[in-house]
Every structure is written in structure tokens, then in C-alpha cells.
Amino acid sequence: AFTRAVVGDWGGGDYADVMAGLDDALDRCDFIDPERLGVLGGSYGGFMTSWVVGHTNRFKAACSERALNSMSSMFGTSDIGHSFTEAHSGALPWEDPRWYADHSPLTYAKDIATPLLIIHAEDDLRCPMEQSEQLFVALKKQRKDVLFIRFPGESHELSRSGKPRHRLERFKHILEWFGKYLMA
């Protein structure tokens, strides 16, 4: 029941769980500085990172990797989008456009104030490049603090099985980004 609870509710109970986990960690671990929190995730974790920064300003910096940011465009561009989004929403995009918008981090781009590093692989078929391009453009148009790093010739597996030089470059960008905002 716990693992199925996210079906149809991306950004709902899962977001509440993540934030409750953070609050519990802050209560238990006095070595965590609540004024210097960062958040990072890839794939579903990338979705959650994009979602989190659209719903709270508790984090000083964030990195969203290979994220699903628009449920409706995911439907027609991902290798699994046509079945995946329908399975989660219970409807096709034209049957319930409100669900698709409500569960898309892109919808909340206007609320993102956290500096955001976006990392994406150009050959990602699971979460296509356009997912990150849309969020990046939305944030740039609003003059938000955002940096977009694209990796050519890499897939959804960049962080695990990408070319060694790309994996090293990815780490470098992440460390520099969080160093800039969390070490100050």
C-alpha cells in the first residue's frame, strides 16, 4: 500500500513524506544546518527536486537531473510516456488536462526561488531533453538563478554508466553548484 500510494499522487503524499523526513532529521541531528540545506535527485528524484523547489523555499540550492517536469509532454515524447502517465493519472492528457498540469513541476515554475542546477543527457529517451528545456526556459524568462548542463551522447543512465569523463564533469558541476550556495 505504501509503495502504491504515489500512483496518481506525484507531488502529494510523497512530497509530504520527504519534508517530514527532513524535519525528523533536523530534530534528531544537530549537526545539520537548517540554513544550508541542498536537495538533489535524478529521474523520479529529479521530478521530486523540481517539485520541492516549486513548493518550498527551505533549500539554499538544488540540482534536478533527468527529471520529468511536464506530465503532458512526457505522454508523447518518452519511451514509456504514453502508458506511464496514463497509468498514473487514469486518463489521457486531453481527457484530464487539469491532472496533468497539477502534477507537473513546470506548472509551479513561477514559485521557484531556489537556485537550480539542471542536468540532462541529450539522448535520454525515458525523460527526454525537452523536460529540462521547458523548466530551464521558464526559469530564465523569469530571470531566476538557474544553470542548465547538457551532456551529448548520453542516456538516462549518465550518472551510473555514462562516459567516465562525463560522470566526472557531472560531479564537478554539482560540487561547484552546492559549494557556491551552501558554503557561503
Side-chain angles (χ1 to χ4, degrees), residues 17-153:
D17 283 349
V18 168
M19 299 312 288
L22 172 62
D23 290 337
D24 189 58
L26 289 169
D27 286 344
R28 292 174 186 240
C29 306
D30 60 0
F31 59 86
I32 300 174
D33 184 348
E35 300 302 315
R36 294 186 333 166
L37 296 173
V39 60
L40 175 147
S43 196
Y44 170 76
F47 161 87
M48 187 53 64
T49 298
S50 298
W51 185 269
V52 163
V53 297
H55 289 81
T56 184
N57 293 327
R58 291 180 69 179
F59 298 91
K60 297 230 356 163
C63 175
S64 176
E65 300 184 87
R66 63 190 187 281
L68 187 170
N69 290 308
S70 170
M71 291 283 184
S72 60
S73 67
M74 177 82 165
F75 174 84
T77 60
S78 167
D79 63 349
I80 62 168
H82 62 92
S83 58
F84 179 84
T85 55
E86 183 180 10
H88 278 274
S89 68
L92 297 166
W94 53 91
E95 295 170 342
D96 191 357
R98 184 79 261 148
W99 183 93
Y100 281 78
D102 288 348
H103 293 86
S104 296
L106 183 62
T107 300
Y108 308 95
K110 67 187 180 319
D111 301 317
I112 295 175
T114 305
L116 182 62
L117 171 62
I118 299 172
I119 297 176
H120 216 108
E122 291 183 351
D123 295 339
D124 190 338
L125 301 177
R126 182 63 28 98
C127 295
M129 175 64 70
E130 59 86 21
Q131 292 289 312
S132 287
E133 290 171 334
Q134 289 188 67
L135 185 58
F136 174 72
V137 170
L139 295 174
K140 285 303 277 187
K141 291 288 277 184
Q142 297 175 80
R143 295 181 167 38
K144 304 278 179 113
D145 192 353
V146 62
L147 178 64
F148 186 18
I149 307 294
R150 302 168 62 118
F151 285 92

Side-chain angles (χ1 to χ4, degrees), residues 46 131 158 168:
Q131 292 289 312
L158 165 65
L168 285 171

